[in-house]
Amino acid sequence: MQKLAIQGGTKLRGEVRISGAKNAALPIMCASLLTADELHLSNLPDMHDVKTMEKLLAQMGVQISAASQAATFNGSQVDKLEAPYDMVKTMRAAILVLGPLVARFGEARVSLPGGCAIGSRPVDLHIKGLQAMGAEIHIEHGYIHATAKRLKGAHISFDLVSVTGTENLMMAATLAEGETVLENAAREPEVVDLANCLIAMGAKIKGAGSDTITISGVAKLHGASHRVMPDRIESGTFLVAAAATGGNITLTEARADILDNVLDKLREAGAKIVVSTGRINIDMQLRPTAVNLRTAPYPAFPTDMQAQFMALNTIAEGSAIVVETIFENRFMHVQELRRLGAQIDVEGNTAIIKGVAQLEGATVMATDLRASASLVIAGLVAQGETIVDRIYHLDRGYEHIEAKLVKLGANISRIK
Ligand code: UD1
């Protein structure tokens, strides 16, 4: 199993290019199932989840020709309408093939995802939405088996804001008969990126980015070209790493307009932030000040940045309260951060972090994607060596993270 060895204490400096967004790339790749024409995608990040999605789509019969950071998806020969357990268990986003398959082929068999490190994460909202659109759904042998002649437009109000739930139903509705209205829809920028790609494919979608999305179904979608948006969570992760180390870095090919809450919290922690077209510079001269935060659906503070800010708070001046409202078990990093000397108390969905002057290097274990990123940040500031074990989580969702950090001056290497 691969590990990262980090010698802490170096301030990050320099420029880093932000990759395409994982959480936009995955649903957009699934949109290729909605048409028999070619979908050309660029700015695809080089990471395991994107490779897993390529493998899944290829198994279904999508022909994929890939070049560096770009790929063409041809869904004219799709003949296997199934996402097997092996794939879905390693990547929950595989559920995103469900809506497109039922919409275009009238049938899908997708494994139920089951639990994961950060909580139970059910998919009931995806299922209820498709049922409202007229799909027959049976759960058999751990699989969701969905059938429909042609989906019908429906008025669907989500009980909870769900990002992939919104994406699955928005994709399904593009080929349904009549109009679908999604209420209490996710407003995440990745939903907007997917909508833009679908619109380029001929879909009729209004309101993406607001909590009400209206989709008028069309008989057929066609091919298109689309550039995947920059990754706001990767952006935030590098900014927090720079802030924690007292560094000065510039992100390139990034978008500040979708990072408001994260940038505000970094300013509150004492960072100076300058934004220009495609670039975000952060300069941190002082020891960070502790910042309270509460995760919630976009545009509020993202749950995918909670662990990284927790790492920042461990070495900040003062105490902070962090409330996680999206996932019930997203404090797996706390025990590991404690191994580095962090002072954190957890009660239910609330963590109280008392900043310490210095963390000390130790061996820690990555438990999920963003928890792993928080351990890397903690390792960058800890005194001595930190070994981060089980970094396959990190490789799932960050493009060449250690190479990028090395370019910024970090002393980090991969142990194979
Ligand atoms: C997506 C992101 C993930 C991010 C999360 C929240 C992708 C590929 N992943 O995950 O990185 O952390 O949004 O911003 O985009 N829920 C239900 N029933 C459902 C669906 C969701 O109860 O059918 C609950 C979940 O358990 C969770 C909450 O709703 O508590 C939000 O989850 P959701 O937005 O669906 O997360 P994902 O789309 O899986």
Side-chain angles (χ1 to χ4, degrees), residues 23 92-93 121-126 160-164 188 303-304 326-327 330:
N23 286 355
R92 298 186 79 265
R121 296 182 84 171
V123 288
D124 54 310
L125 301 172
H126 304 237
L160 277 174
V161 178
S162 167
V163 178
T164 50
E188 266 67 3
T303 174
D304 285 350
I326 307 280
F327 293 113
R330 208 171 197 180

Side-chain angles (χ1 to χ4, degrees), residues 270-336:
K272 283 206 185 84
I273 291 174
V274 180
V275 170
S276 55
T277 316
R279 297 168 73 87
I280 305 172
N281 172 262
I282 182 167
D283 183 13
M284 189 72 164
Q285 300 277 349
L286 306 165
R287 180 179 175 193
T289 306
V291 285
N292 297 333
L293 51 97
R294 182 186 177 86
T295 66
Y298 190 85
F301 189 89
T303 174
D304 285 350
M305 283 303 301
Q306 179 256 105
Q308 300 88 319
F309 268 82
M310 178 98 78
L312 181 71
N313 274 324
T314 62
I315 47 115
E317 179 95 48
S319 296
I321 298 174
V322 169
V323 185
E324 170 60 53
T325 76
I326 307 280
F327 293 113
E328 76 252 32
N329 192 20
R330 208 171 197 180
F331 283 144
M332 305 283 283
H333 40 289
V334 167
Q335 300 230 28
E336 302 301 309

Side-chain angles (χ1 to χ4, degrees), residues 45 58 86 99-100 106 113 136 156 163 215 232 244 266 340 362:
D86 279 358
E136 283 272 336
I156 297 160
V163 178
I215 305 113
R232 66 193 163 100
L266 284 166
L340 300 171

Side-chain angles (χ1 to χ4, degrees), residues 56 59 80 82-89 109-111 143:
L56 172 61
Q59 269 187 18
K80 194 156 177 269
E82 183 176 306
Y85 177 64
D86 279 358
M87 294 269 174
V88 185
K89 84 167 186 238
R109 257 188 108 238
V110 176
S111 170
Y143 278 74

Side-chain angles (χ1 to χ4, degrees), residues 10-319:
T10 316
K11 296 176 190 242
L12 299 188
R13 291 194 188 283
E15 277 192 10
V16 59
R17 189 192 89 86
I18 295 307
S19 304
K22 168 178 90 72
N23 286 355
L26 298 175
I28 290 171
M29 290 165 76
C30 294
S32 67
L33 292 167
L34 288 164
T35 175
D37 293 346
E38 288 189 340
L39 182 62
H40 306 282
L41 299 180
S42 57
N43 206 28
L44 282 173
D46 182 11
M47 56 176 62
H48 281 188
D49 273 9
V50 168
K51 297 269 176 290
T52 306
M53 187 60 89
E54 279 180 1
K55 209 160 127 194
L56 172 61
L57 293 172
Q59 269 187 18
M60 293 176 169
V62 177
Q63 290 161 318
I64 306 173
S65 58
S68 154
Q69 288 181 2
T72 298
F73 298 78
N74 183 321
S76 61
Q77 310 289 323
V78 173
D79 57 358
K80 194 156 177 269
L81 310 174
E82 183 176 306
Y85 177 64
D86 279 358
M87 294 269 174
V88 185
K89 84 167 186 238
T90 56
M91 186 188 62
R92 298 186 79 265
I95 189 76
L96 285 162
V97 302
L98 180 64
L101 285 179
V102 192
R104 178 160 158 232
F105 301 99
E107 188 171 2
R109 257 188 108 238
V110 176
S111 170
L112 278 167
C116 75
I118 61 175
S120 64
R121 296 182 84 171
V123 288
D124 54 310
L125 301 172
H126 304 237
I127 293 173
K128 273 194 220 155
L130 285 173
Q131 282 171 330
M133 294 170 80
E136 283 272 336
I137 298 191
H138 299 282
I139 307 293
E140 44 193 36
H141 306 292
Y143 278 74
I144 305 164
H145 186 213
T147 49
K149 276 216 176 77
R150 184 177 175 197
L151 292 175
K152 290 193 170 46
H155 202 112
I156 297 160
S157 182
F158 287 96
D159 299 336
L160 277 174
V161 178
S162 167
V163 178
T164 50
T166 301
E167 292 165 342
N168 232 340
L169 298 185
M170 183 167 73
M171 286 193 278
T174 59
L175 292 179
E177 191 183 332
E179 186 178 88
T180 299
V181 179
L182 302 178
E183 271 181 15
N184 198 22
R187 291 182 279 167
E188 266 67 3
E190 293 76 15
V191 173
V192 179
D193 206 33
L194 170 64
N196 288 340
C197 178
L198 293 168
I199 291 167
M201 293 166 72
K204 296 207 158 66
I205 302 174
K206 288 208 174 101
S210 77
D211 61 4
T212 306
I213 305 177
T214 306
I215 305 113
S216 301
V218 296
K220 231 174 132 180
L221 293 182
H222 51 70
S225 294
H226 181 81
R227 182 175 172 81
V228 175
M229 64 179 279
D231 197 313
R232 66 193 163 100
I233 306 301
E234 189 199 24
S235 303
T237 302
F238 279 104
L239 291 172
V240 173
T245 61
N248 182 334
I249 68 166
T250 301
L251 312 185
T252 64
E253 295 183 45
R255 269 180 64 186
D257 61 310
I258 49 177
L259 272 168
D260 277 352
N261 235 286
V262 168
L263 298 183
D264 284 350
K265 286 289 162 192
L266 284 166
R267 287 191 185 103
E268 200 180 315
K272 283 206 185 84
I273 291 174
V274 180
V275 170
S276 55
T277 316
R279 297 168 73 87
I280 305 172
N281 172 262
I282 182 167
D283 183 13
M284 189 72 164
Q285 300 277 349
L286 306 165
R287 180 179 175 193
T289 306
V291 285
N292 297 333
L293 51 97
R294 182 186 177 86
T295 66
Y298 190 85
F301 189 89
T303 174
D304 285 350
M305 283 303 301
Q306 179 256 105
Q308 300 88 319
F309 268 82
M310 178 98 78
L312 181 71
N313 274 324
T314 62
I315 47 115
E317 179 95 48
S319 296

